[in-house]
Amino acid sequence: MNIKINFENVLFLDIETVPETEFYNDLSEEKQELFALKTQYQRKEDQTPEEFYERAGIWAEFGKIVCISVGYFTHFKTIDRKFRVTSFFGDEVKILKDFKNLLDLHFNKPVHLLCAHNGKEFDFPFIARRMIIHQIKLPEKLNLFGKKPWEIPHLDTMELWKFGDYKHYTSLKLLTSILNIPSPKDDINGSEVGGVFYKEKNIARIVTYCEKDTIAIAQLLLRFNNEPLIEELAIIHV
């Protein structure tokens, strides 16, 4: 694709989300009514809002973030390439504040870009909406008001793969498969994150899954630009 960017200026990220409460009945009556209205066209005719609630994590109004994983190149030259990966997890407010601090302190310059898979439709707006809900001031990289399309500092690997075909959706798993990138989906999938969080209470498993996706997104952008993939020994988990 000949993407003219400095890879060391890109922050790759992925988020994992779950319903805001474990059970539908834990919501207030008002919130239950609002969820029923929000999902009335997504649900099958015989499907109740309670039966559909396991999918609530896809909406920022009814879900919450349990992990944000980020990755970035500290050295990009192939000989000494280093890719650092770290995660924010646990309490959502702390996750959001820690992520905001990272952006404000280390990825706050005009040259810096955020990159996610389907990030423009999911990750970036989800994070921004949850920050507003928690009354956290948006970092500049997520505050898009008044910006022209070419001024928005976001890269989306799914959008790049579309090549202008707006109706086309391709999952991260499919792209890594057809492009011979090591698959990040070797443990759980997105639909299982809620169960792992609430029933297993295994946040470490979710963090591992999220970090693998983040690495895969970086690998995608490298492949799009005909760059060598990141070798396992070049990945540093911090």
Side-chain angles (χ1 to χ4, degrees):
M1 289 184 183
N2 193 25
I3 304 169
K4 297 185 188 306
I5 58 170
N6 181 344
F7 276 75
E8 292 183 13
N9 290 331
V10 181
L11 182 70
F12 300 89
L13 66 97
D14 185 57
I15 71 173
E16 297 304 329
T17 65
V18 299
E20 66 175 280
T21 61
E22 182 175 3
F23 302 109
Y24 176 74
N25 288 332
D26 291 336
L27 297 175
S28 66
E29 288 187 10
E30 181 184 25
K31 204 70 179 284
Q32 290 180 27
E33 292 174 4
L34 291 169
F35 182 75
L37 287 171
K38 178 79 173 180
T39 62
Q40 60 183 327
Y41 298 113
Q42 282 81 25
R43 287 183 278 118
K44 297 176 181 178
E45 289 186 8
D46 59 345
Q47 193 173 29
T48 67
E50 183 174 3
E51 292 170 336
F52 196 72
Y53 184 65
E54 64 180 13
R55 297 187 58 191
I58 66 174
W59 291 285
E61 299 87 352
F62 300 97
K64 65 181 179 182
I65 297 169
V66 295
C67 181
I68 300 178
S69 294
V70 299
Y72 52 93
F73 290 97
T74 56
H75 297 87
F76 187 69
K77 291 183 179 179
T78 306
I79 295 176
D80 191 31
R81 181 171 289 178
K82 293 289 184 294
F83 189 76
R84 294 172 68 92
V85 183
T86 192
S87 295
F88 309 110
F89 56 92
D91 175 72
E92 187 184 41
V93 172
K94 187 176 188 305
I95 291 171
L96 295 172
K97 287 183 176 179
D98 287 347
F99 180 68
K100 170 182 163 60
N101 287 339
L102 175 69
L103 295 187
D104 287 343
L105 296 176
H106 302 290
F107 287 88
N108 57 358
K109 297 178 181 177
V111 294
H112 289 137
L113 301 169
L114 306 182
C115 182
H117 190 73
N118 198 29
K120 290 186 177 182
E121 291 192 10
F122 184 69
D123 304 71
F124 306 142
F126 200 109
I127 295 170
R129 289 166 185 155
R130 294 306 295 174
M131 283 185 172
I132 290 172
I133 287 169
H134 290 297
Q135 300 180 38
I136 298 170
K137 184 178 179 181
L138 292 179
E140 192 61 30
K141 294 299 177 185
L142 292 176
N143 191 359
L144 308 184
F145 180 76
K147 291 184 179 177
K148 299 177 177 63
W150 56 87
E151 295 174 334
I152 295 174
H154 297 167
L155 287 172
D156 188 327
T157 48
M158 192 175 82
E159 182 182 72
L160 290 170
W161 183 253
K162 285 181 177 181
F163 288 94
D165 182 358
Y166 293 105
K167 64 183 181 298
H168 194 75
Y169 175 85
T170 308
S171 69
L172 181 60
K173 182 176 183 179
L174 175 56
L175 275 182
T176 54
S177 175
I178 63 175
L179 296 177
N180 295 317
I181 294 170
S183 175
K185 308 293 189 185
D186 60 356
D187 182 25
I188 58 177
N189 60 53
S191 66
E192 297 172 312
V193 170
V196 174
F197 181 78
Y198 282 117
K199 293 181 175 59
E200 295 183 19
K201 303 188 185 308
N202 191 344
I203 189 64
R205 191 178 175 196
I206 294 172
V207 170
T208 298
Y209 169 75
C210 196
E211 289 188 353
K212 286 182 179 182
D213 273 3
T214 302
I215 295 166
I217 292 162
Q219 301 281 44
L220 271 187
L221 198 64
L222 289 171
R223 183 69 90 214
F224 287 170
N225 224 37
N226 290 320
E227 292 279 355
L229 295 180
I230 311 166
E231 296 182 2
E232 188 66 33
L233 291 176
I235 300 172
I236 303 168
H237 295 266
V238 294

